Amino acid sequence: MESKRTVSHNDKSAMRQQMRTAKQQYAEQLPSMSATIVQQLKQRLGGCHTVMAYWPLPDEVDIRPLLDELVKEGNAIILPKVLDDNTMELRRYTSRADLAEGAFHILEPVGEAFTDYHQIDVVLIPGMAFDASGHRLGRGRGYYDRFLVALPHLCKIGVCFPFQRVAEVPAEEHDIIMNEVIS
């Protein structure tokens, strides 16, 4: 019988704060770290045609050049759009003109809705921290966990800076586990 992990809200909050502090300490290196990670992602995504990704916040791995390159190569890029406190949907991304400020002052796609989830080859997911088992610590709202629970067939790749890899992420049963993490 598998034992349940006991995780407090404080454990997750403390790790989020730890990661925010680390991001500030590495602020000058984030662009060069992002470029290195983008090169790894390019290699990993070879052969993928439909990629669900994210539009990065200033403190996340900057995959914008990769998204634009994948679009130029004819790939379909799908980005999440927050609808309300519990729900997000997917929209097509074809250029930066497809973006407008949405929930939480994040740029989100305004393009055509995308619902053919079985076409998605891979999902790139940002996070505050990841561990070797694929556990992910998000920003605390649970959008990805709620969305991806219905899509277990998708290959989920966590994307983070090297310092965001930790020994153990405080995880709960409902947290979605990544298939791999690239940092």
Side-chain angles (χ1 to χ4, degrees):
M1 178 188 271
E2 186 177 316
S3 64
K4 293 182 181 181
R5 294 174 91 167
T6 304
V7 176
S8 79
H9 177 70
N10 290 339
D11 293 340
K12 289 184 173 187
S13 293
M15 185 168 281
R16 286 186 187 100
Q17 185 55 49
Q18 177 187 355
M19 290 300 119
R20 282 192 284 277
T21 300
K23 287 177 180 184
Q24 291 171 351
Q25 292 171 344
Y26 285 97
E28 289 183 21
Q29 292 105 328
L30 296 185
S32 62
M33 287 183 192
S34 287
T36 300
I37 296 163
V38 163
Q39 290 304 314
Q40 293 177 57
L41 287 169
K42 281 182 189 179
Q43 293 175 2
R44 172 60 181 82
L45 297 177
C48 293
H49 302 290
T50 303
V51 178
M52 179 182 159
Y54 63 93
W55 195 259
L57 293 171
D59 68 344
E60 292 176 335
V61 174
D62 186 359
I63 63 169
R64 295 175 300 179
L66 173 66
L67 299 181
D68 291 336
E69 184 176 322
L70 290 171
V71 167
K72 284 181 188 173
E73 293 172 356
N75 296 287
I77 301 301
I78 312 302
L79 300 177
K81 176 177 177 53
V82 171
L83 298 179
D84 56 39
D85 287 342
N86 296 305
T87 313
M88 67 182 196
E89 70 177 7
L90 301 181
R91 301 276 180 103
R92 287 190 179 272
Y93 169 81
T94 59
S95 76
R96 295 182 188 207
D98 290 346
L99 301 171
E101 187 175 308
F104 312 110
H105 305 287
I106 297 171
L107 287 178
E108 295 181 326
V110 295
E112 166 189 345
F114 182 88
T115 57
D116 193 357
Y117 302 143
H118 290 285
Q119 283 188 13
I120 298 172
D121 296 307
V122 66
V123 182
L124 304 180
I125 304 171
M128 294 296 286
F130 295 89
D131 66 23
S133 298
H135 295 107
R136 169 186 171 269
L137 178 68
R139 292 188 180 262
R141 300 227 177 226
Y143 286 102
Y144 280 103
D145 292 319
R146 284 189 299 274
F147 184 81
L148 294 172
V149 73
L151 303 167
H153 67 284
L154 295 179
C155 176
K156 296 165 281 300
I157 300 176
V159 180
C160 68
F161 296 108
F163 60 83
Q164 292 177 278
R165 304 283 299 255
V166 299
E168 184 178 10
V169 167
E172 299 173 79
E173 287 182 22
H174 68 270
D175 293 333
I176 298 295
I177 297 174
M178 303 295 102
N179 297 96
E180 62 186 281
V181 177
I182 294 181
S183 59

